[in-house]
């Protein structure tokens, strides 16, 4: 994967993870998106740049998992 394509894929995976987190999707799926972004960064040689961003997100995900569950979303 070349530079811009890799950056675009990484960004898409990070945004997907962020959106899943906001929507209350299973934390395992959120984690999977972040881990895929990290793997894509590794493959593209961008781990030093992207790694810290992913680590922050994973730490936040773990912190949120230890807190009480969020309230149920309102019925549509």
């Amino acid at each position: 994967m070349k530079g811009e394509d890799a950056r675009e894929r990484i960004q898409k995976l990070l945004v997907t993870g962020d959106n899943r987190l906001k929507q209350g999707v299973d934390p395992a799926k959120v984690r999977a998106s972040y881990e895929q972004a990290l793997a894509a960064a590794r493959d593209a040689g961008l781990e030093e740049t992207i790694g810290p961003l992913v680590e922050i997100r994973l730490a936040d995900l773990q912190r949120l998992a230890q807190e009480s569950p969020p309230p149920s979303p309102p019925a549509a």
Side-chain angles (χ1 to χ4, degrees), residues 3-73:
E4 278 305 309
D5 290 339
R7 290 178 192 274
E8 188 175 314
R9 174 158 167 70
I10 293 164
Q11 181 180 14
K12 190 174 190 177
L13 287 164
L14 291 174
V15 170
T16 297
D18 292 346
N19 287 339
R20 285 177 168 175
L21 183 61
K22 289 176 192 174
Q23 294 168 359
V25 173
D26 180 11
K29 288 185 179 184
V30 177
R31 176 177 294 283
S33 294
Y34 293 152
E35 289 175 348
Q36 287 174 7
L38 186 57
R42 233 179 250 128
D43 291 345
L46 299 170
E47 185 175 9
E48 285 186 27
T49 305
I50 304 300
L53 299 173
V54 174
E55 292 303 322
I56 289 169
R57 284 172 164 88
L58 290 172
D60 284 345
L61 185 61
Q62 179 146 358
R63 181 184 51 81
L64 290 171
Q66 293 172 352
E67 294 177 0
S68 60
S72 299

